[in-house]
Coordinates of all heavy atoms in Angstrom, one line a residue:
S1 N -10.4 14.9 51.0 CA -9.9 15.2 52.4 C -9.0 14.1 52.9 O -9.2 12.9 52.4 CB -11.0 15.5 53.4 OG -11.8 14.4 53.6
E2 N -8.1 14.3 53.8 CA -7.2 13.3 54.3 C -7.9 12.5 55.3 O -8.6 13.0 56.2 CB -6.0 14.1 54.9 CG -4.8 13.1 55.2 CD -3.6 13.8 55.6 OE1 -3.2 14.8 54.9 OE2 -3.0 13.4 56.6
A3 N -7.7 11.2 55.4 CA -8.3 10.3 56.4 C -7.6 10.5 57.7 O -6.3 10.6 57.8 CB -8.1 8.9 55.9
K4 N -8.3 10.4 58.8 CA -7.8 10.6 60.1 C -7.2 9.2 60.5 O -6.3 9.1 61.4 CB -8.8 11.0 61.1 CG -9.2 12.4 61.0 CD -10.3 12.8 62.1 CE -10.7 14.2 61.9 NZ -11.6 14.6 62.9
F5 N -7.7 8.0 60.0 CA -7.2 6.7 60.3 C -6.9 6.0 59.1 O -7.4 6.4 58.0 CB -8.3 5.9 61.0 CG -8.8 6.7 62.4 CD1 -9.9 7.5 62.4 CD2 -8.0 6.5 63.5 CE1 -10.3 8.1 63.5 CE2 -8.4 7.1 64.7 CZ -9.6 7.9 64.7
D6 N -6.0 5.0 59.1 CA -5.7 4.1 58.0 C -7.0 3.5 57.4 O -7.2 3.5 56.2 CB -4.7 3.1 58.3 CG -3.3 3.7 58.7 OD1 -3.1 4.9 58.5 OD2 -2.5 3.0 59.3
L7 N -7.8 3.0 58.3 CA -9.1 2.3 57.9 C -10.0 2.4 59.0 O -9.7 2.2 60.2 CB -8.7 0.9 57.6 CG -9.9 0.0 57.1 CD1 -10.3 0.4 55.7 CD2 -9.4 -1.5 57.1
H8 N -11.2 2.9 58.7 CA -12.2 2.9 59.8 C -13.6 2.5 59.3 O -13.9 2.6 58.1 CB -12.3 4.3 60.5 CG -12.9 5.3 59.7 ND1 -12.2 6.2 58.8 CD2 -14.2 5.7 59.5 CE1 -13.0 7.0 58.2 NE2 -14.3 6.7 58.6
L9 N -14.4 1.9 60.1 CA -15.7 1.3 59.8 C -16.7 2.0 60.8 O -16.5 1.9 62.0 CB -15.7 -0.1 59.9 CG -17.0 -0.9 59.8 CD1 -17.5 -0.8 58.3 CD2 -16.9 -2.3 60.2
T10 N -17.8 2.5 60.3 CA -18.9 3.0 61.1 C -20.1 2.2 60.7 O -20.5 2.1 59.6 CB -19.1 4.5 60.8 OG1 -17.9 5.2 61.1 CG2 -20.2 5.1 61.7
G11 N -20.7 1.7 61.8 CA -22.0 1.0 61.6 C -23.1 1.8 62.1 O -23.1 2.5 63.2
I12 N -24.2 2.1 61.4 CA -25.3 3.0 61.7 C -26.6 2.1 61.7 O -27.0 1.6 60.7 CB -25.4 4.1 60.7 CG1 -24.0 4.9 60.7 CG2 -26.6 5.0 61.0 CD1 -23.9 5.9 59.5
E13 N -27.2 2.1 62.8 CA -28.5 1.4 62.9 C -29.6 2.3 62.4 O -29.7 3.5 62.7 CB -28.8 1.1 64.4 CG -30.1 0.2 64.6 CD -30.3 -0.2 66.0 OE1 -29.6 0.3 66.9 OE2 -31.2 -1.0 66.2
R14 N -30.5 1.8 61.6 CA -31.6 2.5 61.0 C -32.9 2.0 61.7 O -33.3 0.9 61.4 CB -31.7 2.3 59.6 CG -30.5 2.7 58.7 CD -30.3 4.2 58.9 NE -29.2 4.6 58.0 CZ -28.6 5.8 58.2 NH1 -29.0 6.6 59.1 NH2 -27.6 6.1 57.4
P15 N -33.5 2.8 62.6 CA -34.6 2.3 63.4 C -35.8 1.9 62.5 O -36.6 1.1 62.9 CB -35.0 3.5 64.3 CG -33.8 4.4 64.3 CD -33.1 4.1 63.0
A16 N -36.0 2.4 61.4 CA -37.2 2.2 60.5 C -37.1 0.8 59.9 O -38.1 0.3 59.4 CB -37.3 3.2 59.4
R17 N -36.0 0.1 60.0 CA -35.8 -1.2 59.3 C -34.7 -2.0 60.1 O -34.0 -1.5 60.8 CB -35.5 -1.1 57.8 CG -34.1 -0.4 57.6 CD -33.9 -0.3 56.1 NE -32.7 0.4 55.8 CZ -31.5 -0.1 55.9 NH1 -31.3 -1.3 56.3 NH2 -30.5 0.7 55.6
A18 N -34.8 -3.3 59.9 CA -33.8 -4.2 60.6 C -32.4 -4.0 59.9 O -32.4 -3.9 58.7 CB -34.3 -5.6 60.6
G19 N -31.4 -4.1 60.7 CA -30.0 -4.1 60.1 C -29.3 -2.9 60.3 O -29.7 -2.0 61.0
L20 N -28.1 -2.9 59.8 CA -27.1 -1.8 59.9 C -26.7 -1.3 58.6 O -26.6 -2.1 57.6 CB -25.9 -2.2 60.7 CG -26.1 -2.6 62.1 CD1 -24.8 -3.2 62.7 CD2 -26.5 -1.4 63.0
D21 N -26.4 -0.1 58.4 CA -25.6 0.4 57.2 C -24.2 0.6 57.8 O -24.0 1.1 58.8 CB -26.2 1.7 56.8 CG -27.6 1.6 56.1 OD1 -27.9 0.5 55.7 OD2 -28.4 2.5 56.0
F22 N -23.3 0.4 56.9 CA -21.9 0.5 57.2 C -21.2 1.6 56.2 O -21.6 1.6 55.1 CB -21.1 -0.8 57.0 CG -21.4 -1.7 58.1 CD1 -22.2 -2.8 58.0 CD2 -20.8 -1.6 59.4 CE1 -22.6 -3.7 58.9 CE2 -21.2 -2.5 60.4 CZ -22.0 -3.6 60.1
Q23 N -20.4 2.4 56.8 CA -19.6 3.3 56.0 C -18.2 3.0 56.3 O -17.8 2.8 57.5 CB -19.9 4.8 56.4 CG -21.3 5.2 56.1 CD -21.6 6.6 56.6 OE1 -20.8 7.2 57.4 NE2 -22.7 7.1 56.1
V24 N -17.3 2.9 55.2 CA -15.9 2.7 55.4 C -15.1 3.8 54.9 O -15.4 4.4 53.8 CB -15.5 1.4 54.6 CG1 -14.0 1.1 54.7 CG2 -16.3 0.2 55.0
G25 N -14.1 4.2 55.7 CA -13.2 5.3 55.3 C -11.8 4.7 55.3 O -11.5 3.9 56.1
Y26 N -11.0 5.2 54.4 CA -9.6 4.7 54.4 C -8.6 5.7 53.7 O -9.0 6.6 53.1 CB -9.6 3.3 53.6 CG -10.0 3.5 52.1 CD1 -9.1 3.7 51.1 CD2 -11.4 3.4 51.8 CE1 -9.5 3.9 49.8 CE2 -11.8 3.6 50.5 CZ -11.0 3.8 49.5 OH -11.3 3.9 48.2
A27 N -7.4 5.5 54.1 CA -6.3 6.3 53.6 C -5.9 5.8 52.2 O -5.5 4.7 52.1 CB -5.1 6.3 54.5
T28 N -6.2 6.6 51.2 CA -5.9 6.2 49.8 C -4.4 6.0 49.5 O -4.1 5.5 48.4 CB -6.5 7.3 48.9 OG1 -6.0 8.5 49.1 CG2 -8.0 7.3 49.0
D29 N -3.5 6.6 50.4 CA -2.1 6.3 50.1 C -1.7 4.9 50.7 O -0.6 4.5 50.4 CB -1.3 7.4 50.8 CG -1.4 7.6 52.2 OD1 -2.5 7.3 52.7 OD2 -0.5 7.9 52.9
I30 N -2.6 4.3 51.4 CA -2.3 2.9 51.9 C -3.2 1.9 51.1 O -2.7 0.8 50.8 CB -2.5 2.9 53.4 CG1 -1.6 3.8 54.1 CG2 -2.4 1.5 53.9 CD1 -1.9 4.0 55.6
F31 N -4.5 2.2 51.0 CA -5.4 1.2 50.4 C -6.0 1.7 49.1 O -6.2 2.9 49.0 CB -6.6 1.0 51.4 CG -6.3 0.4 52.7 CD1 -6.2 1.2 53.8 CD2 -6.0 -0.9 52.9 CE1 -5.8 0.7 55.0 CE2 -5.7 -1.5 54.0 CZ -5.6 -0.7 55.2
D32 N -6.3 0.8 48.2 CA -7.1 1.1 47.0 C -8.5 0.7 47.2 O -8.8 -0.1 48.1 CB -6.5 0.7 45.7 CG -6.4 -0.9 45.7 OD1 -7.1 -1.5 46.4 OD2 -5.5 -1.4 44.9
A33 N -9.4 1.2 46.4 CA -10.8 0.9 46.6 C -11.1 -0.6 46.5 O -12.0 -1.2 47.3 CB -11.6 1.6 45.5
E34 N -10.4 -1.3 45.6 CA -10.7 -2.8 45.5 C -10.2 -3.5 46.8 O -11.0 -4.5 47.1 CB -9.9 -3.3 44.3 CG -10.1 -4.8 44.0 CD -11.5 -5.2 43.7 OE1 -12.3 -4.4 43.3 OE2 -11.8 -6.4 44.0
T35 N -9.2 -3.2 47.3 CA -8.8 -3.8 48.6 C -9.8 -3.6 49.7 O -10.2 -4.5 50.4 CB -7.4 -3.3 49.1 OG1 -6.4 -3.6 48.0 CG2 -7.0 -3.9 50.3
V36 N -10.3 -2.4 49.8 CA -11.2 -2.1 50.9 C -12.5 -2.8 50.6 O -13.2 -3.3 51.5 CB -11.5 -0.6 51.0 CG1 -12.6 -0.2 51.9 CG2 -10.2 0.2 51.4
R37 N -12.9 -2.9 49.3 CA -14.1 -3.7 49.0 C -14.0 -5.1 49.3 O -14.9 -5.7 49.9 CB -14.4 -3.5 47.5 CG -15.8 -4.2 47.1 CD -15.8 -4.4 45.5 NE -14.8 -5.3 45.1 CZ -14.8 -6.7 45.2 NH1 -15.8 -7.2 45.9 NH2 -13.9 -7.4 44.8
R38 N -12.8 -5.7 49.1 CA -12.6 -7.1 49.5 C -12.6 -7.3 51.1 O -13.2 -8.3 51.6 CB -11.3 -7.6 49.0 CG -11.4 -7.9 47.4 CD -10.2 -8.7 46.9 NE -9.0 -8.4 47.4 CZ -8.0 -7.5 46.9 NH1 -8.3 -6.9 45.8 NH2 -6.9 -7.4 47.5
I39 N -12.0 -6.4 51.8 CA -12.1 -6.5 53.3 C -13.6 -6.3 53.7 O -14.0 -7.1 54.6 CB -11.2 -5.3 53.9 CG1 -9.8 -5.5 53.6 CG2 -11.5 -5.1 55.4 CD1 -8.9 -4.3 53.9
A40 N -14.3 -5.4 53.2 CA -15.7 -5.3 53.6 C -16.5 -6.5 53.2 O -17.4 -6.9 53.9 CB -16.3 -4.1 52.9
E41 N -16.2 -7.1 52.1 CA -16.9 -8.3 51.6 C -16.7 -9.4 52.7 O -17.7 -10.1 53.0 CB -16.4 -8.7 50.2 CG -17.1 -9.8 49.6 CD -16.5 -10.0 48.2 OE1 -15.5 -10.7 48.1 OE2 -17.2 -9.6 47.2
R42 N -15.5 -9.6 53.1 CA -15.2 -10.6 54.1 C -15.8 -10.4 55.4 O -16.3 -11.2 56.1 CB -13.6 -10.8 54.2 CG -13.2 -11.6 52.9 CD -11.7 -11.4 52.8 NE -11.2 -12.2 51.7 CZ -11.3 -11.9 50.4 NH1 -12.0 -10.8 50.0 NH2 -10.8 -12.7 49.5
L43 N -15.9 -9.1 55.8 CA -16.5 -8.7 57.1 C -18.0 -9.1 57.0 O -18.5 -9.7 58.0 CB -16.3 -7.2 57.3 CG -17.2 -6.7 58.6 CD1 -16.7 -7.4 59.9 CD2 -17.0 -5.2 58.7
L44 N -18.7 -8.9 55.9 CA -20.0 -9.2 55.7 C -20.2 -10.8 55.8 O -21.2 -11.2 56.3 CB -20.6 -8.7 54.5 CG -20.8 -7.1 54.4 CD1 -21.3 -6.7 53.0 CD2 -21.7 -6.7 55.5
L45 N -19.3 -11.5 55.2 CA -19.4 -13.0 55.4 C -19.3 -13.4 56.9 O -20.1 -14.3 57.3 CB -18.2 -13.6 54.7 CG -18.3 -13.6 53.1 CD1 -16.9 -14.1 52.6 CD2 -19.4 -14.4 52.6
V46 N -18.4 -12.7 57.6 CA -18.4 -13.0 59.1 C -19.7 -12.7 59.8 O -20.2 -13.5 60.6 CB -17.2 -12.3 59.8 CG1 -17.2 -12.5 61.2 CG2 -15.9 -12.9 59.2
L47 N -20.2 -11.5 59.5 CA -21.4 -11.0 60.2 C -22.6 -11.9 59.9 O -23.4 -12.3 60.6 CB -21.7 -9.6 59.8 CG -20.7 -8.6 60.4 CD1 -21.0 -7.2 59.9 CD2 -20.5 -8.6 61.9
D48 N -22.7 -12.3 58.5 CA -23.8 -13.2 58.1 C -23.7 -14.6 58.8 O -24.7 -15.1 59.2 CB -23.8 -13.4 56.6 CG -24.2 -12.2 55.8 OD1 -24.9 -11.4 56.4 OD2 -24.0 -12.2 54.6
A49 N -22.5 -15.1 59.0 CA -22.3 -16.4 59.6 C -22.7 -16.3 61.1 O -23.4 -17.2 61.6 CB -20.9 -16.9 59.4
I50 N -22.3 -15.2 61.7 CA -22.6 -15.0 63.1 C -24.1 -14.8 63.3 O -24.7 -15.4 64.3 CB -21.8 -13.9 63.7 CG1 -20.3 -14.3 63.8 CG2 -22.3 -13.5 65.1 CD1 -19.4 -13.1 64.2
A51 N -24.7 -14.1 62.5 CA -26.2 -13.9 62.5 C -26.9 -15.2 62.3 O -28.0 -15.5 63.0 CB -26.7 -12.9 61.5
A52 N -26.4 -16.1 61.4 CA -27.0 -17.4 61.2 C -26.9 -18.3 62.3 O -27.7 -19.2 62.6 CB -26.5 -17.9 59.9
D53 N -25.7 -18.3 63.0 CA -25.4 -19.2 64.1 C -24.6 -18.4 65.2 O -23.3 -18.4 65.1 CB -24.7 -20.4 63.6 CG -24.3 -21.4 64.7 OD1 -24.7 -21.2 65.9 OD2 -23.5 -22.3 64.4
P54 N -25.2 -17.8 66.1 CA -24.5 -17.0 67.1 C -23.5 -17.7 67.9 O -22.6 -17.1 68.4 CB -25.6 -16.4 68.0 CG -26.8 -16.4 67.2 CD -26.6 -17.6 66.3
G55 N -23.6 -19.0 67.9 CA -22.6 -19.9 68.7 C -21.4 -20.2 67.9 O -20.5 -20.9 68.4
V56 N -21.3 -19.8 66.6 CA -20.2 -20.3 65.8 C -18.9 -19.6 66.2 O -18.9 -18.4 66.7 CB -20.5 -19.9 64.2 CG1 -20.5 -18.4 64.1 CG2 -19.5 -20.6 63.4
S57 N -17.9 -20.4 66.2 CA -16.6 -19.8 66.5 C -16.1 -19.0 65.3 O -16.2 -19.5 64.1 CB -15.5 -21.0 66.7 OG -14.2 -20.5 66.8
V58 N -15.6 -17.8 65.5 CA -15.1 -16.9 64.4 C -14.1 -17.6 63.7 O -14.0 -17.5 62.4 CB -14.7 -15.5 65.0 CG1 -14.1 -14.7 63.9 CG2 -15.8 -14.8 65.6
R59 N -13.2 -18.4 64.3 CA -12.2 -19.1 63.7 C -12.7 -20.1 62.7 O -12.1 -20.5 61.7 CB -11.4 -19.8 64.8 CG -10.6 -21.0 64.3 CD -9.9 -21.6 65.5 NE -8.5 -21.5 65.1 CZ -7.4 -21.5 66.0 NH1 -7.6 -21.6 67.2 NH2 -6.3 -21.4 65.5
A60 N -13.9 -20.6 62.9 CA -14.5 -21.6 62.0 C -15.2 -21.0 60.7 O -15.6 -21.8 59.8 CB -15.6 -22.5 62.7
I61 N -15.3 -19.7 60.6 CA -15.9 -19.0 59.5 C -15.0 -19.0 58.3 O -13.9 -18.4 58.4 CB -16.5 -17.6 59.9 CG1 -17.4 -17.8 61.1 CG2 -17.1 -17.0 58.7 CD1 -17.9 -16.5 61.7
D62 N -15.4 -19.4 57.2 CA -14.6 -19.4 56.0 C -14.8 -18.1 55.3 O -16.0 -17.8 54.9 CB -15.0 -20.6 55.1 CG -14.1 -20.7 53.8 OD1 -13.2 -19.9 53.7 OD2 -14.3 -21.6 53.1
I63 N -13.8 -17.3 55.2 CA -14.0 -16.0 54.6 C -13.4 -16.0 53.1 O -13.3 -14.9 52.5 CB -13.3 -14.9 55.4 CG1 -11.8 -15.0 55.5 CG2 -14.0 -14.7 56.7 CD1 -11.1 -13.8 56.0
R64 N -13.1 -17.1 52.6 CA -12.7 -17.1 51.2 C -13.9 -17.0 50.3 O -15.0 -17.4 50.6 CB -12.0 -18.5 50.9 CG -10.7 -18.6 51.7 CD -10.1 -20.0 51.5 NE -11.0 -20.9 52.2 CZ -10.8 -22.2 52.2 NH1 -9.8 -22.8 51.6 NH2 -11.6 -23.0 52.9
T65 N -13.7 -16.3 49.2 CA -14.7 -16.1 48.2 C -14.5 -17.0 47.0 O -13.4 -17.5 46.9 CB -14.8 -14.6 47.8 OG1 -13.6 -14.2 47.2 CG2 -15.1 -13.7 49.0
E66 N -15.4 -17.0 46.1 CA -15.2 -17.7 44.9 C -14.0 -17.2 44.1 O -13.3 -17.9 43.4 CB -16.5 -17.6 44.0 CG -17.6 -18.4 44.5 CD -18.8 -18.4 43.6 OE1 -18.7 -18.0 42.4 OE2 -19.9 -18.7 44.1
A67 N -13.8 -15.9 44.2 CA -12.6 -15.3 43.5 C -11.3 -15.8 44.0 O -10.4 -15.8 43.3 CB -12.7 -13.8 43.6
D68 N -11.3 -16.2 45.3 CA -10.1 -16.6 45.9 C -9.7 -18.1 45.4 O -8.6 -18.5 45.4 CB -10.2 -16.7 47.4 CG -10.4 -15.4 48.1 OD1 -9.9 -14.4 47.5 OD2 -11.1 -15.3 49.1
G69 N -10.7 -18.7 44.9 CA -10.4 -20.1 44.4 C -10.1 -21.1 45.6 O -10.5 -20.9 46.7
S70 N -9.5 -22.1 45.3 CA -9.0 -23.1 46.3 C -7.7 -22.7 46.9 O -6.7 -22.8 46.3 CB -8.9 -24.5 45.6 OG -8.5 -25.4 46.6
V71 N -7.9 -22.3 48.2 CA -6.7 -21.8 48.9 C -6.5 -22.6 50.1 O -7.5 -22.9 50.8 CB -6.9 -20.3 49.3 CG1 -5.6 -19.8 50.1 CG2 -7.1 -19.5 48.1
T72 N -5.3 -23.1 50.4 CA -5.0 -23.9 51.6 C -4.7 -22.9 52.7 O -3.8 -22.1 52.6 CB -3.8 -24.9 51.3 OG1 -4.1 -25.7 50.3 CG2 -3.6 -25.6 52.6
P73 N -5.4 -23.0 53.8 CA -5.2 -22.1 54.9 C -3.7 -22.3 55.4 O -3.2 -23.4 55.3 CB -6.1 -22.5 56.0 CG -7.3 -23.2 55.3 CD -6.6 -23.8 54.1
V74 N -3.2 -21.3 56.0 CA -1.7 -21.2 56.4 C -1.5 -22.4 57.4 O -0.5 -23.1 57.4 CB -1.3 -19.9 57.0 CG1 0.1 -20.0 57.5 CG2 -1.5 -18.9 55.9
N75 N -2.5 -22.6 58.3 CA -2.2 -23.6 59.4 C -2.5 -25.0 59.0 O -2.5 -25.9 59.9 CB -3.0 -23.2 60.7 CG -4.5 -23.1 60.5 OD1 -4.9 -23.1 59.3 ND2 -5.2 -23.1 61.5
E76 N -2.8 -25.2 57.8 CA -3.1 -26.7 57.3 C -2.2 -27.0 56.2 O -1.8 -26.2 55.4 CB -4.5 -26.7 56.7 CG -5.6 -26.6 57.7 CD -7.0 -26.8 57.1 OE1 -7.1 -27.1 56.0 OE2 -8.0 -26.6 57.8
S77 N -1.8 -28.3 56.3 CA -1.0 -28.8 55.1 C -2.0 -29.3 54.0 O -3.2 -29.4 54.3 CB -0.2 -30.1 55.6 OG -1.1 -31.1 55.9
P78 N -1.6 -29.4 52.8 CA -2.5 -29.8 51.7 C -3.3 -31.1 52.1 O -4.4 -31.3 51.7 CB -1.6 -29.9 50.5 CG -0.4 -29.0 50.8 CD -0.2 -29.1 52.3
E79 N -2.6 -32.0 52.8 CA -3.3 -33.2 53.1 C -4.4 -33.0 54.1 O -5.5 -33.6 54.0 CB -2.3 -34.2 53.8 CG -1.2 -34.7 52.8 CD -0.1 -33.7 52.5 OE1 0.2 -33.0 53.4 OE2 0.4 -33.7 51.4
E80 N -4.2 -32.1 55.1 CA -5.3 -31.8 56.1 C -6.5 -31.1 55.4 O -7.6 -31.2 55.9 CB -4.7 -30.9 57.2 CG -3.8 -31.6 58.1 CD -3.1 -30.7 59.0 OE1 -2.8 -29.5 58.7 OE2 -2.8 -31.1 60.2
A81 N -6.3 -30.3 54.4 CA -7.3 -29.6 53.7 C -8.3 -30.4 52.9 O -9.3 -30.1 52.6 CB -6.7 -28.5 52.8
R82 N -7.8 -31.7 52.6 CA -8.6 -32.6 51.8 C -9.7 -33.2 52.6 O -10.0 -33.4 53.5 CB -7.7 -33.6 51.1 CG -6.9 -33.1 50.1 CD -6.1 -34.1 49.4 NE -5.1 -33.4 48.7 CZ -3.9 -33.9 48.4 NH1 -3.6 -35.1 48.8 NH2 -3.0 -33.2 47.7

């Protein structure tokens, strides 16, 4: 079936246990499964960081994964990243 939105995320609370289940839908003419998986993986990194420290600034959360390797953020020069 055709997606109504380019990308959507639904969080479902399960009363019998702590936490949420997420469902992701996406337009396959825009995204492939691997791209959506990487987006979801990074969202989980953000949610885990916020759960661990509710006072953390979202901007301070590193969403790079091991697969990304050593990447210099756009707003930093290589010297600042060291």
Side-chain angles (χ1 to χ4, degrees):
S1 69
E2 190 172 316
K4 291 183 181 183
F5 301 99
D6 294 346
L7 181 68
H8 72 268
L9 174 72
T10 303
I12 302 167
E13 185 176 8
R14 301 292 183 199
R17 61 181 174 79
L20 296 171
D21 287 339
F22 289 100
Q23 295 176 345
V24 178
Y26 58 96
T28 56
D29 58 330
I30 298 173
F31 297 102
D32 61 21
E34 179 61 21
T35 299
V36 173
R37 186 196 62 76
R38 288 193 320 264
I39 291 169
E41 186 177 79
R42 284 162 175 77
L43 174 61
L44 290 176
L45 290 172
V46 171
L47 294 175
D48 285 344
I50 292 170
D53 179 6
V56 70
S57 168
V58 173
R59 156 180 242 158
I61 299 171
D62 186 358
I63 62 168
R64 294 173 291 178
T65 65
E66 288 182 19
D68 295 328
S70 178
V71 178
T72 302
V74 175
N75 61 345
E76 291 184 7
S77 69
E79 294 77 32
E80 292 173 322
R82 291 185 193 147

